[in-house]
Amino acid sequence: MEPLPCVLTIAGSDSGGGAGIQADLKAISMAGCYGASAITALTAQNTTGVAGIEAVSPEFVALQIETVCDDIKVRAAKTGMLFSAPIIRAVGEALNGRDIPLVIDPVCVATSGAKLLKDDAVEAMKEIFHLADLLTPNVPEAELFTGLEIKSREDIFEAIEILLEMGPKAVLVKGGHFDSVAATDWLGIKGRQPIPLMQQRVKTKNSHGTGCTLSAAIASGLAKGYDMVTAVRKAQEYLNLALRSGFDLGEGSGPPNHLAPMLIEGMKQGTLSELHEFGLRLECMHGLSQLIPEVRMNVAVALPHATEIKDVAAFSGRISCSRKGQVMVCGHPEFGASFNVAKILLCARKANPEIGCAARLRLNNQILDAAAECGFVEAWFDRADEPDEVQGTEEYFLEWGTCKAMAEHTEPQNVDVICESGGKGIEPCLFFLAKDFGGLEAKLIKLLAAMADELN
């Protein structure tokens, strides 16, 4: 096996495991790199706060850095909590002259509010900014180092300009402290206009260690040879998933779920097996052929926190039926196999994250009457209402239509079926929504029973 790129983290230890060295090493490992460390301070902390800090001597911090670098080929490094002016200067001297991409995360205050940088260390921190390939302050830190009050985009641009004059090659001002729908980080690179890098804002209390995690992931990207913009974007995506996958750890602010990509990847085989088993049950479901549209049926199931079609599994050949009503599941379960049903599912999940699977069915008056008899909650969208800017593109139409149907419904969390009216040469379809396979199967059986009652 080829050696993994080594990333050196120079930071404090978090006994709670959510930030600092512990968060860095988890993020570095998940990025496919090898983590080495130089510890600057020990902290006694948990999710509710920092109870105490014991600093390591500056000489020993430097010795850790030099010992690692003398033996191991370090591809990138990052700094976190440096705590005091003497430690900062020792780190600067140990890194000076080394041809290693360096990310400086100028950690000043913990999520709990505890100070992680002594008052005399602010000016010393500025002295090492010139060593950085990237500086990653959040808004309060950018305000501290520039003396500005940052309230607007123009303020961010001015802060980036001031920080770049201090010597780093690039500055990423993290926008998580702003109250907005999207979380926007601004990347300023010398000689270029600042770039807005947006991610969906995650509403969670479990944000302890987000700065450490992001900077470690960026350093890992640089160690793997990514350019700065790519390294930052990939790190953002990783952190966003980790935040969406977070869990309560203690009484206070827990960490992001650093292992989220690995855990979700591990769920894939189980999801495919469950979909296969569900397909076998569909083939035996009496009367199901009545629900299969001319364009054929498909069932889609989403991984936890799915955001893209590649995160949704479906049958590669869809579900068809013979003239005699024999149901046939064609192909095999595969991620990314569906486009239409997957897009409907992903968009419906924006309104109701509890929705885990969806199925495309035939839409006619008999099926609608049976759905109404079952008490299924319907949401509709019509091709006739399609805006000019999305016409002709099925991807944007389905996204627009589903979002419109859910947004205009008074109880989107209770919607069972989304109905699409069809158009010239386009078959109308009904999309069943459910939390899981069990829920979807129960709805299908209930619908077929109602249709049978109508015929009798």
Side-chain angles (χ1 to χ4, degrees), residues 172-247:
L172 183 71
V173 176
K174 297 173 289 189
H177 287 74
F178 284 133
D179 184 17
S180 59
V181 175
T184 303
D185 299 334
W186 288 89
L187 178 62
I189 300 174
K190 282 187 178 180
R192 296 168 60 178
Q193 186 80 357
I195 305 168
L197 301 175
M198 300 174 66
Q199 286 285 310
Q200 179 183 349
R201 185 175 292 278
V202 181
K203 293 181 179 179
T204 177
K205 70 170 186 175
N206 298 318
S207 58
H208 178 55
T210 51
C212 306
T213 302
L214 181 68
S215 57
I218 294 171
S220 299
L222 296 176
K224 294 168 77 172
Y226 298 152
D227 63 78
M228 185 62 71
V229 175
T230 301
V232 173
R233 284 190 184 277
K234 286 184 176 292
Q236 282 183 317
E237 291 170 3
Y238 165 66
L239 176 59
N240 193 267
L241 175 60
L243 285 167
R244 286 185 280 120
S245 309
F247 53 89

Side-chain angles (χ1 to χ4, degrees), residues 42-366:
L42 306 176
T43 68
Q45 64 176 300
N46 54 28
T47 63
T48 62
V50 179
I53 300 175
E54 288 284 348
V56 176
S57 73
E59 295 77 16
F60 195 74
V61 173
L63 181 60
Q64 292 176 76
I65 297 170
E66 291 162 359
T67 303
V68 170
C69 292
D70 287 348
D71 177 55
I72 301 171
K73 186 172 180 58
V74 175
R75 298 284 186 177
K78 65 141 291 187
T79 68
M81 172 190 175
L82 299 183
F83 189 58
S84 70
I87 291 176
I88 292 169
R89 293 191 176 104
V91 169
E93 290 174 9
L95 292 176
N96 193 31
R98 297 186 186 274
D99 187 19
I100 303 171
L102 175 63
V103 178
I104 292 182
D105 182 13
V107 177
C108 298
V109 180
T111 304
S112 62
K115 287 185 65 176
L116 301 178
L117 191 67
K118 285 188 171 181
D119 293 336
D120 67 347
V122 173
E123 291 304 315
M125 183 69 78
K126 293 180 184 180
E127 295 173 11
I128 67 168
F129 283 176
H130 71 280
L131 298 174
D133 288 76
L134 179 68
L135 183 68
T136 63
N138 57 32
V139 170
E141 289 162 351
E143 290 178 329
L144 176 65
F145 291 112
T146 63
L148 297 176
E149 183 180 14
I150 300 175
K151 299 294 184 183
S152 65
R153 186 180 74 163
E154 289 69 27
D155 295 336
I156 289 177
F157 282 24
E158 185 178 354
I160 288 174
E161 185 176 343
I162 293 172
L163 290 169
L164 285 173
E165 289 175 357
M166 297 179 187
K169 295 176 183 176
V171 174
L172 183 71
V173 176
K174 297 173 289 189
H177 287 74
F178 284 133
D179 184 17
S180 59
V181 175
T184 303
D185 299 334
W186 288 89
L187 178 62
I189 300 174
K190 282 187 178 180
R192 296 168 60 178
Q193 186 80 357
I195 305 168
L197 301 175
M198 300 174 66
Q199 286 285 310
Q200 179 183 349
R201 185 175 292 278
V202 181
K203 293 181 179 179
T204 177
K205 70 170 186 175
N206 298 318
S207 58
H208 178 55
T210 51
C212 306
T213 302
L214 181 68
S215 57
I218 294 171
S220 299
L222 296 176
K224 294 168 77 172
Y226 298 152
D227 63 78
M228 185 62 71
V229 175
T230 301
V232 173
R233 284 190 184 277
K234 286 184 176 292
Q236 282 183 317
E237 291 170 3
Y238 165 66
L239 176 59
N240 193 267
L241 175 60
L243 285 167
R244 286 185 280 120
S245 309
F247 53 89
D248 292 341
L249 185 64
E251 297 299 320
S253 175
N257 186 351
H258 294 94
L259 303 185
M262 180 184 72
L263 296 174
I264 291 174
E265 185 66 27
M267 295 177 185
K268 284 188 174 181
Q269 192 55 52
T271 299
L272 294 176
S273 296
E274 289 178 12
L275 182 55
H276 172 73
E277 293 295 327
F278 185 59
L280 295 178
R281 296 200 297 276
L282 290 178
E283 288 183 327
C284 300
M285 189 176 290
H286 181 70
L288 183 64
S289 59
Q290 303 172 78
L291 302 180
I292 298 178
E294 293 296 324
V295 293
R296 293 175 291 172
M297 175 182 173
N298 211 340
V299 175
V301 56
L303 290 170
H305 314 294
T307 58
E308 301 178 51
I309 289 174
K310 68 179 179 63
D311 302 324
V312 179
F315 294 106
S316 60
R318 304 184 194 177
I319 302 169
S320 187
C321 66
S322 69
R323 291 183 179 181
K324 294 183 179 181
Q326 179 186 2
V327 176
M328 298 172 288
V329 175
C330 306
H332 54 274
E334 182 180 313
F335 282 95
S338 167
F339 176 82
N340 292 357
V341 187
K343 179 59 70 172
I344 293 284
L345 176 56
L346 289 172
C347 293
R349 283 168 57 86
K350 294 178 182 178
N352 181 5
E354 292 295 311
I355 296 170
C357 56
R360 176 169 56 188
L361 309 177
R362 184 190 301 274
L363 177 60
N364 57 33
N365 289 335
Q366 182 191 7

